[in-house]
Amino acid sequence: MTDSIQKAWDYLWSNLFYEKTSLFYDYRVSQEKDGLISTLPCPEMVRRQIPNPCGWGIGMEDSVINNAMMLDTVVSRYLVTKDQALKPYADKLFAGLKLCATVSERSGFIVRSVSPFDGVSHYINSSRDQYTHWIYSAYRFYDSGLSDREQKEDVKNILVSVAKRMEADVTEENDFQLLREDGKIGIVQKMWGQLGAHEYLRLPMFYAAAFKISGDDHWKKMYLSYRDEATVHSEKIDYEKIGGVYPVLQMQYSLALLFDAEDDEIYKSKYRNLMKRASAHYHRQAVLYSKELCKPEHKNDFCYQYRDWRYMPAKFDGYIGQMPYYNPNQCSLEENQSFYPVRNVGDAAAIGALCGDAPDDVISSVTNLCDRIDFDNHYSSAPLNLINAFWLLKEIKKGDMRKKSQEILRK
C-alpha cells in the first residue's frame, strides 16, 4: 500500500465518518472540530424535508453509497491481507448500513442517510443508486469472512425485506417506481419500464441477491421473470451516451452479482461479455482521466473548499409528489474539479477490476492521482473511490498470482 492510499484512508475516517451513526457523510465544510456535523440540517429541518426530500446538496445525500463502497473496500483489503484488525471497521460500516435499512417504519425502505443529531431523522426520497450499492456490498460482506452469524442473519432479513418492498411497489399502477417513504412517487426511484440501458439489471439483481442469500425460490422466480428483457435492454448500452462513470460502475455491480448468482451458463456468458465490454472502454478512461488530472496545472483543483449549504443559492426543481424540491448549488461542475473528476478515475478503474482486469497502467492511474491530492486541504468524499479501486485491483492481482501458482504446481 502506498503512503497516499493510507493518507486517503486516514483522511476519510478522520473527517467524514461519524461514530454515533456509523456513517460517512459527503464532505467536510471546515477543518474545525465537528465542522461537518454543525452544518448538517437539524432534525426539525429534516422532518420538514428542507431543502428537498432527497437531502441533495447538504452533506447527507449519499451515506449509504459511501458506507457501501468503504465496506467493499474493507472486504477487498481483508481478502488481500487477511488482517483481522479490519473486522472492527467492517462492523462499523455494516452498523451504519443496517441503520439506514431499518430506521424507516416502511419495511424494506433504505434511507440515504441519518441525522447525526438524533440518529433517526432522515429524508423520505431514496434512490435506485443507494439500493444498488447497499445490496452489492452486503452481498460481498456476507461471504467475506468478516461477517459473523448475527450480521449474516441481518443481511438475509434486509435483502428479503427489500425484495418484498420492490414486489409491492414496482407495479404498473405505480409507474414501476419504488415509492417514497410517504407512499408517493418521487424521483430517481424508477425500477422498470422506461429506463437507461445501464439501469435494467438493478431490479433482477435485487431479487437474485434475495434468492441467493435466503434460498427462497420465490425470489428466483421473480429474478427470472425480469432476466430476459433486462439483458436484451442492457446489451444495447452505448457508453458514449452515458453521463458520468458511476452509472456504469453500478451496472457492473449488478453484472458481478448476477454472474455469481446465475446457474445458467448462457446467461453467465452474457453477463461476462457485458462486463468485458465495460472494462475495455473504461480501462482507457481511467488512464486518460488520471493522466490529465496529474498535470501540474491541476494541482490546486483538489483543494476546492465546500461551503455551508444554508448560505448557497438553491435551484427550484418543482413539485414532485406534492412536495417542493429545492436543490442547493454548491458550485458548477467546472468550478469544483475535486469531486467528479477524481471519482471518475476510481470508478473507471473499479469497473475493470470487477471484471477481473488489473493492468499495471490502471493501478498507476489510481495511485498517481492519489499522490497528487493534498489531504490537509481536500474536502470531498471522492478519495473513497480511489482507495476502493486500489484494493479491488490488489484483490484481483492476488487472485492472478494464486492462479499462476496453481498452474505451476499442476505442471
Side-chain angles (χ1 to χ4, degrees):
M1 179 171 59
T2 68
D3 288 344
S4 60
I5 295 293
Q6 183 62 50
K7 286 180 181 178
W9 172 277
D10 294 341
Y11 155 77
L12 290 160
W13 284 98
S14 298
N15 295 287
L16 302 187
F17 186 76
Y18 194 64
E19 290 282 351
K20 291 181 180 179
T21 55
S22 291
L23 291 172
F24 276 94
Y25 293 88
D26 299 337
Y27 54 81
R28 61 174 179 175
V29 178
S30 75
Q31 292 180 314
E32 299 173 7
K33 180 176 174 55
D34 290 333
L36 164 73
I37 303 306
S38 66
T39 57
L40 290 172
C42 67
E44 176 60 17
M45 280 182 144
V46 178
R47 186 188 68 79
R48 295 169 61 191
Q49 301 296 288
I50 296 173
N52 60 74
C54 291
W56 285 333
I58 59 173
M60 53 183 289
E61 174 182 342
D62 285 329
S63 289
V64 163
I65 290 177
N66 296 333
N67 267 51
M69 185 167 282
M70 185 62 91
L71 180 57
D72 185 49
T73 303
V74 169
V75 167
S76 288
R77 186 170 177 176
Y78 174 74
L79 293 175
V80 171
T81 65
K82 296 300 179 183
D83 184 356
Q84 293 296 325
L86 291 167
K87 170 64 174 165
Y89 288 102
D91 290 344
K92 291 178 182 180
L93 292 162
F94 183 69
L97 289 170
K98 179 181 175 181
L99 174 64
C100 289
T102 56
V103 72
S104 173
E105 293 182 0
R106 201 166 193 257
S107 177
F109 189 85
I110 297 175
V111 305
R112 291 169 171 269
S113 187
V114 176
S115 169
F117 292 106
D118 62 4
V120 176
S121 300
H122 55 273
Y123 289 91
I124 66 172
N125 195 146
S126 188
S127 76
R128 180 178 49 238
D129 296 9
Q130 312 293 324
Y131 280 79
T132 302
H133 278 267
W134 201 106
I135 289 170
Y136 179 75
S137 69
Y139 186 88
R140 279 256 289 170
F141 177 57
Y142 187 89
D143 280 328
S144 66
L146 285 171
S147 59
D148 57 36
R149 183 178 299 177
E150 182 179 348
Q151 290 165 331
K152 287 178 185 290
E153 189 67 16
D154 286 335
V155 169
K156 182 184 76 172
N157 291 338
I158 292 168
L159 288 180
V160 169
S161 73
V162 167
K164 289 179 178 178
R165 173 54 50 204
M166 294 291 160
E167 189 174 17
D169 281 6
V170 183
T171 64
E172 187 172 2
E173 293 75 19
N174 294 332
D175 190 32
F176 301 109
Q177 301 249 6
L178 169 65
L179 300 178
R180 280 187 332 209
E181 190 179 28
D182 62 357
K184 293 184 173 63
I185 289 176
I187 195 170
V188 294
Q189 295 188 123
K190 193 171 177 65
M191 301 301 305
W192 198 246
Q194 297 300 312
L195 296 172
H198 60 284
E199 295 165 340
Y200 274 96
L201 288 170
R202 308 296 179 85
L203 187 58
M205 167 201 183
F206 299 170
Y207 288 134
F211 162 66
K212 189 71 174 180
I213 299 301
S214 73
D216 186 339
D217 280 339
H218 174 70
W219 303 122
K220 182 176 183 179
K221 291 176 183 176
M222 291 299 294
Y223 158 60
L224 292 175
S225 70
Y226 288 97
R227 181 185 66 179
D228 294 3
E229 186 176 346
T231 305
V232 169
H233 283 294
S234 299
E235 290 173 337
K236 298 175 183 177
I237 190 167
D238 182 349
Y239 299 117
E240 299 296 339
K241 294 183 179 179
I242 295 177
V245 182
Y246 70 88
V248 181
L249 174 61
Q250 291 171 17
M251 179 179 178
Q252 203 79 327
Y253 284 153
S254 297
L255 288 164
L257 191 155
L258 291 171
F259 179 84
D260 182 76
E262 179 62 72
D263 295 323
D264 188 319
E265 289 299 326
I266 292 175
Y267 276 88
K268 286 180 86 74
S269 178
K270 288 176 182 286
Y271 297 149
R272 181 68 176 170
N273 288 338
L274 279 167
M275 293 177 77
K276 285 182 176 179
R277 280 178 56 193
S279 178
H281 182 86
Y282 288 97
H283 170 194
R284 298 190 298 273
Q285 299 300 320
V287 175
L288 291 172
Y289 291 159
S290 178
K291 186 176 180 180
E292 174 61 31
L293 289 173
C294 286
K295 291 178 179 179
E297 58 264 34
H298 294 293
K299 179 180 179 181
N300 294 325
D301 288 352
F302 311 125
C303 299
Y304 177 85
Q305 184 168 344
Y306 284 70
R307 289 158 283 187
D308 189 331
W309 67 274
R310 294 171 296 185
Y311 304 106
M312 299 300 295
K315 175 187 174 185
F316 179 56
D317 289 328
Y319 280 87
I320 302 168
Q322 301 174 352
M323 297 190 78
Y325 282 64
Y326 288 92
N327 193 357
N329 293 320
Q330 270 290 333
C331 58
S332 66
L333 294 178
E334 291 75 21
E335 183 183 358
N336 178 10
Q337 292 292 301
S338 71
F339 183 64
Y340 277 112
V342 173
R343 183 179 174 180
N344 286 345
V345 172
D347 288 353
I351 286 168
L354 285 164
C355 188
D357 295 331
D360 290 340
D361 59 348
V362 172
I363 296 175
S364 296
S365 73
V366 171
T367 56
N368 289 345
L369 179 55
C370 214
D371 287 342
R372 297 302 192 279
I373 298 175
D374 174 5
F375 290 102
D376 290 332
N377 292 290
H378 189 81
Y379 295 83
S380 86
S381 61
L384 206 163
N385 301 61
L386 294 179
I387 64 172
N388 174 251
F390 176 84
W391 284 109
L392 282 173
L393 292 162
K394 286 293 185 182
E395 180 188 344
I396 297 306
K397 278 290 188 184
K398 184 175 181 180
D400 288 345
M401 290 170 61
R402 190 184 303 116
K403 290 176 186 176
K404 289 177 182 177
S405 299
Q406 290 171 348
E407 290 173 3
I408 291 171
L409 287 172
R410 282 197 296 269
K411 291 179 181 178

